[in-house]
Amino acid sequence: RCPRAVSAFSRRARAGGGHGVAGPLGVAVGAGGVASGMGGAGARVLSRDRFPGRSLMSAFVDLPLAVSPVIVGLACVILFGRGGWFEPWFSAHGIQIIFAVPGIALATVFVTFPFVARELIPIMQEQGTIEEEAAVSLGAGGFATFLRVTLPNAKWALLSGVLLCNARAIGRVGA
């Protein structure tokens, strides 16, 4: 026999009450995927390229780790809220950011993307570019080189970063 709390939960889930869990978890997983892509691209640029402003970009990657989620929420309100900098454009196009799913997704992506980048940067710096240059010299294109050389060498760091990113995103659902 089921305990009373379990049966009440199952009745509510059958009645469509699962949206309170499925919606935020869907946003967390989606934002985790976007943040993983952004973190991977940032790691690639920071580990391989030398350019003016590299240290500024590195600081931007670290910024979400140093800033409180309350400050991130305040920045979102200042940028996208009523009277905010971008509010007239979004209102004209019928898009609501603050107190809606896009605002949750934006804040979650901002807070989580450093986890993938900071896991991948040391691995990509250590592996170097010799194997990638060899693949290119043998006729592989950029995407094939990424899939067959870079990704297999960094797969465990990428997996670790994606797991950290999604854990933070799911933990952020309640914040």
Side-chain angles (χ1 to χ4, degrees):
R1 183 156 147 78
C2 248
R4 178 176 249 167
V6 172
S7 63
F9 178 77
S10 63
R11 277 195 311 272
R12 183 162 294 163
R14 280 193 305 267
H19 297 294
V21 174
L25 285 180
V27 168
V29 170
V34 170
S36 297
M38 287 177 56
R44 164 68 174 81
V45 169
L46 286 173
S47 65
R48 304 286 184 193
D49 301 334
R50 302 287 177 243
F51 56 91
R54 184 175 181 272
S55 59
L56 185 65
M57 184 177 173
S58 180
F60 180 71
V61 168
D62 288 335
L63 182 67
L65 299 174
V67 173
S68 167
V70 173
I71 301 301
V72 173
L74 178 64
C76 284
V77 169
I78 289 171
L79 293 174
F80 304 109
R82 187 170 302 232
W85 294 352
F86 302 117
E87 186 263 339
W89 188 87
F90 284 112
S91 292
H93 291 85
I95 302 170
Q96 182 181 0
I97 301 290
I98 296 297
F99 307 118
V101 173
I104 296 168
L106 263 170
T108 304
V109 166
F110 178 78
V111 169
T112 58
F113 83 91
F115 291 100
V116 175
R118 288 298 162 203
E119 288 291 322
L120 285 175
I121 288 171
I123 298 297
M124 289 181 157
Q125 286 175 338
E126 279 299 313
Q127 86 182 30
T129 60
I130 295 171
E131 293 176 359
E132 292 175 355
E133 290 170 359
V136 169
S137 70
L138 292 171
F143 191 68
T145 301
F146 175 75
L147 283 180
R148 295 187 178 170
V149 177
T150 308
L151 195 59
N153 286 338
K155 67 182 170 192
W156 296 115
L158 179 63
L159 179 64
S160 173
V162 168
L163 289 175
L164 285 170
C165 180
N166 281 310
R168 174 68 186 241
I170 290 170
R172 178 141 174 75
V173 167

